[in-house]
């Protein structure tokens, strides 16, 4: 029987003692297999309504509880502004992705993306406009990567994309596609009241040796990003290693 179902005890014979015994046994058996409540004949209308109400209330409560748990899990692993994974989620998965790739001899590449002169977006157009840019940026990243790639908001205006089973050459093509997708089309801000040209710089690094860890790859991608900034921004720089 489905949880939440209400069972009726069997119709009983006339003898009150006999009836009580059979009814109770049926009720006990019912409760054991997951019945939530039962009624004994003759059925009292008010009791039926009260018990049904209680069951409905319990079911709704259970559903709310489940939704809350689901929501908490989502909040724990995603960034609320962009809906990308958050830094904690990325950090807890990157380690095992790198280990897996290293032990199987598979490639893995990682991008660190940072919006150029983002402070001037906030300063010139307001924090809400800055948030609009971050949201749209996340949408464009999502459209540029595969399902198995892991995109996360790493910090304020800094993002990381992890690409399993992807070597440096392919990752460079993806990075360049993302860079172009950002630079080639202006970003709408303030519900379309204005638009802005945005560019990003990208640092790229790949799993290079079996001794590589999440931290060393991230660090090399970060150094490559620093070079991209220094060399004039709006560009992709790959780690030399
Ligand atoms: P660069 O080209 O060197 O990257 O310059 P930048 O201005 O982008 O770099 P900087 O690190 O100086 O500025 C980052 C700015 O990002 C500063 C901060 O106000 C802004 N920021 C961080 N998080 C958020 C956010 O959630 N919303 C908005 N609107 N701005 C944010
Ligand atoms: Mg920046
Ligand atoms: Mg930054």
């Amino acid at each position: 029987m489905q949880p939440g179902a209400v069972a009726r005890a069997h119709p009983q014979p006339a003898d009150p003692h006999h009836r009580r015994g059979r009814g109770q046994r049926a009720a006990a058996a019912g409760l054991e297999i997951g019945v939530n409540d039962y009624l004994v004949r003759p059925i009292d209308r008010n009791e039926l309504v009260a018990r049904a109400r209680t069951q409905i209330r319990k079911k709704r409560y259970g559903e709310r509880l489940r939704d809350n748990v689901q929501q908490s899990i989502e909040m724990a692993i995603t960034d609320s502004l962009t809906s990308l994974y958050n830094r904690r989620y990325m950090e807890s998965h990157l380690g095992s992705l790198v280990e897996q790739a290293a032990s199987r001899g598979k490639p893995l590449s990682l991008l660190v993306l940072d919006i150029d002169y983002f402070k001037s977006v906030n300063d010139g157009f307001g924090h809400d406009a800055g948030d609009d840019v971050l949201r749209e940026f996340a949408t464009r990243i999502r459209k540029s990567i595969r399902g198995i790639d892991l995109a996360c908001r790493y910090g304020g205006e800094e993002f990381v994309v992890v690409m399993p089973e992807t070597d440096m050459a392919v990752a460079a093509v993806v990075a360049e596609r993302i860079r172009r997708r950002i630079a080639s089309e202006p970003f709408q801000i303030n519900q379309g009241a204005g638009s802005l040209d945005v560019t990003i710089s990208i640092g790229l690094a790949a799993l290079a040796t079996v001794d590589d860890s999440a931290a060393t790859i991230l660090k090399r991608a970060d150094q490559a990003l620093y070079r991209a900034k220094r060399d004039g921004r709006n560009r992709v720089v790959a780690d030399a290693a």
Side-chain angles (χ1 to χ4, degrees), residues 44-229:
D44 179 80
R45 192 188 154 77
N46 291 333
E47 185 188 356
L48 171 64
V49 170
R51 285 181 183 277
R53 277 218 182 97
T54 302
Q55 292 303 323
I56 291 166
R57 221 178 290 130
K58 270 193 189 159
K59 183 165 194 310
R60 298 228 167 106
Y61 177 72
E63 284 168 354
R64 265 203 312 279
L65 219 56
R66 211 178 40 228
D67 288 350
N68 284 346
V69 169
Q70 188 59 39
Q71 211 181 357
S72 299
I73 292 170
E74 264 167 40
M75 276 165 63
I77 65 170
T78 54
D79 166 56
S80 59
L81 181 68
T82 62
S83 300
L84 294 179
Y85 287 113
N86 62 23
R87 180 181 187 139
R88 189 167 23 153
Y89 181 84
M90 203 279 291
E91 284 180 338
S92 73
H93 278 63
L94 183 57
S96 49
L97 286 174
V98 169
E99 270 170 35
Q100 253 177 47
S103 69
R104 292 176 191 170
K106 293 271 175 68
L108 175 145
S109 297
L110 182 150
L111 312 177
V112 179
L113 315 92
D114 187 289
I115 302 177
D116 297 329
Y117 303 118
F118 188 61
K119 195 171 176 308
S120 68
V121 173
N122 280 327
D123 291 349
F125 304 91
H127 200 268
D128 287 346
D131 284 357
D132 288 343
V133 170
L134 290 171
R135 268 189 293 263
E136 173 64 17
F137 178 51
T139 301
R140 292 192 197 183
I141 289 186
R142 238 182 258 115
K143 283 185 188 155
S144 310
I145 60 176
R146 305 164 303 173
I148 64 158
D149 299 331
L150 191 66
C152 93
R153 186 176 178 202
Y154 200 61
E157 33 83 74
E158 199 166 307
F159 297 79
V160 169
V161 175
V162 183
M163 292 180 283
E165 316 225 345
T166 306
D167 64 25
M168 195 88 149
V170 172
V173 173
V174 176
E176 181 54 27
R177 188 168 68 213
I178 297 176
R179 188 203 61 74
R180 214 176 324 117
R181 219 171 226 170
I182 302 302
S184 66
E185 200 185 322
F187 281 53
Q188 304 286 310
I189 52 166
N190 305 326
Q191 284 96 43
S195 74
L196 277 180
D197 288 324
V198 176
T199 64
I200 57 166
S201 298
I202 303 178
L204 157 60
L207 176 67
T209 70
V210 283
D211 297 325
D212 249 345
S213 67
T216 57
I217 301 171
L218 258 174
K219 185 159 180 237
R220 289 204 306 274
D222 216 40
Q223 286 164 345
L225 169 65
Y226 176 78
R227 262 180 275 137
K229 292 282 184 187

Side-chain angles (χ1 to χ4, degrees), residues 23-45:
Q24 277 180 335
R25 275 199 303 281
L31 288 168
E32 215 145 280
I33 59 167
V35 165
N36 292 330
D37 202 359
Y38 62 89
L39 286 163
V40 179
R41 282 187 175 160
I43 289 167
D44 179 80
R45 192 188 154 77

